[in-house]
Amino acid sequence: MLTNSEENYIKEIYSLEQKHQTDVNTNLLAEKIETKASSVTDMLKKLAKKDLLIYQKYKGAKLNTKGEKVALAVVRKHRLWETFLVEKLNFSWDEVHEIAEQLEHIQSEKLTNELDAFLNFPKVDPHGDPIPDVNGNFATIKTVCLSKLNIDDEGVFVEVKDDSDKFLKYLTKNNITIGAKIKVVDKEDFDNSIKIEIDKKQFNISENVIKNLYLKI
Amino acid sequence: MLTNSEENYIKEIYSLEQKHQTDVNTNLLAEKIETKASSVTDMLKKLAKKDLLIYQKYKGAKLNTKGEKVALAVVRKHRLWETFLVEKLNFSWDEVHEIAEQLEHIQSEKLTNELDAFLNFPKVDPHGDPIPDVNGNFATIKTVCLSKLNIDDEGVFVEVKDDSDKFLKYLTKNNITIGAKIKVVDKEDFDNSIKIEIDKKQFNISENVIKNLYLKI
DNA sequence: ATAAATTTTTAGATAAGTCTAAATTAAAAA
DNA sequence: TTTTTAATTTAGACTTATCTAAAAATTTAT
Ligand SMILES: [Mn+2]
Ligand SMILES: [Mn+2]
Ligand SMILES: [Mn+2]
Ligand SMILES: [Mn+2]
């Protein structure tokens, strides 16, 4: 049995491993968890002792098979609950993250699996992130970052990488919602901003926005 | 913001106050929370300092208005989640208590109220216990303990006072489920057991069972 | 290759919640 | 009304998760 804190660390380590494809280092993890580096060191030692990850002093940490399984189980719960909140309880995609942070720690395999069935085994959550199935498997839909597109390219917006409510509210305000067809109208080299078209309306978005939007082309 | 532990104490104090109509004493509370009396004393001091109850050394504790409000909010969540698990996720009434013990601590008023609406504002949980509404009000259905009935009296089983899975499984096995029509066929004075009839089948139940069954007559 | 800067770890402290054992107070029995 | 028993509180310790400040190791720059 793991504590909420342990589960949060493991989930974040998993996420950073996926993103950077390297061992996770202390400072970055501290920043993500919103804690201090010294606390991270303590926790990494503890998780290593519990045989959930490999930890080498000054070198960083890497989940082992057991740790990865835990991470996928927590991610599965997080995304199923987010889906539940949006699909069944009238939440918008910018309101669910914080609550799912709590719900992801509820311990009951039956609950998770019944919830999955109740939602008709959804493949992605409200942010387009894939939901691992009961065995930890998930389909990796091939998506392309909007920054990779050229002028006149278009695609369907299917996944957002920044889950913060601020960012999601900005997207909603500008009609950039999952499923929207986006076309690149113009690109500005000096600041990497681009002009896009959605539903025949055109507007500019900055590099910071672009890098968090993923499309199916 | 209260911790899970604080909420558990407050909920249990509320429940004992309702049952015994007196200040709650340390040892009983310790037994219910499954902890030691010394831990209870520490917690009572803390909750008194947080202005959630009145605590007098050696005299016991009593929730104030603020504490009662917290208790009702936790009870509301507990019973709504139990209802959700049974109504929507195919759980049986003996499987939900432990999970609701966790879910009752999720912090989000919107979640609680949306869940309430999603379930069509249920009045009672799967054990027949009343669910407080958003303002903490609940209908007190007038029920009578089975032990109060005489031979040939009958009523509808609407509430069970012992929520343990062992007891609930026993009831299920004997067709004693919420809504069942129960008739008292015979009473034994020497051990206070009785013979009841449900669906034309008769069988004996002991005093320990009887005192936890409440009927509408 | 050495010095400076950065990252990471260690040492020691704190708060919450729990425990055991001892002391104190209250209640029951003699 | 003493004495005995039971209930409750206090004292001191432990665990988990966190922090600050200082030390150590690693990386980067000169
Ligand atoms: Mn979390
Ligand atoms: Mn998500
Ligand atoms: Mn609980
Ligand atoms: Mn119940």
Side-chain angles (χ1 to χ4, degrees), chain A residues 25 58 65 74 85 130 140 148 155 166 196 199 204 212 217:
Chain A
N25 53 297
Y58 296 101
T65 310
V74 178
L85 294 174
T140 38
K148 294 277 192 292
K166 257 191 179 156
I196 59 172
D199 287 339
N204 287 85
N212 284 301
I217 51 174

Side-chain angles (χ1 to χ4, degrees), chain B residues 3 5 35-36 38-39 42 46 58:
Chain B
T3 65
S5 189
T35 185
K36 301 293 166 176
S38 55
S39 305
D42 286 347
K46 188 163 64 128
Y58 295 100

Side-chain angles (χ1 to χ4, degrees), chain A residues 116-130:
Chain A
D116 196 11
F118 183 61
L119 298 169
N120 279 121
F121 306 100
K123 294 273 172 292
V124 294
D125 81 357
H127 312 105
D129 294 314

Side-chain angles (χ1 to χ4, degrees), chain A residues 7-8 11 29 40 46 59 62 83 104 114 153 163 172 175 189 198 200:
Chain A
E7 287 191 342
N8 285 336
K11 188 178 59 147
L29 192 49
V40 170
K46 189 164 64 131
K59 293 273 184 71
K62 184 174 151 58
T83 306
E104 72 190 359
E114 289 287 345
D153 286 351
D163 281 4
T172 306
N175 280 313
D189 269 353
I198 297 178
K200 286 173 187 137

Side-chain angles (χ1 to χ4, degrees), chain B residues 8 11 101-102 104-105:
Chain B
N8 286 336
K11 189 180 56 147
E101 272 304 314
Q102 301 175 58
E104 72 190 0
H105 304 294

Side-chain angles (χ1 to χ4, degrees), chain B residues 156-179:
Chain B
V156 177
F157 172 41
V158 292
E159 190 175 6
V160 56
K161 291 290 185 186
D162 177 352
D163 281 4
S164 70
D165 60 332
K166 257 191 180 159
F167 184 61
L168 297 175
K169 277 199 170 74
Y170 161 86
L171 294 182
T172 306
K173 202 174 74 185
N174 291 287
N175 280 313
I176 308 177
T177 51
I178 299 281

Side-chain angles (χ1 to χ4, degrees), chain B residues 26 29 31 42-43 58 130 153-154 199-200 203 205 208:
Chain B
T26 307
L29 191 47
E31 191 189 316
D42 286 347
M43 183 59 91
Y58 295 100
D153 286 351
E154 60 181 19
D199 287 339
K200 285 169 188 141
F203 51 96
I205 56 178
N208 261 318

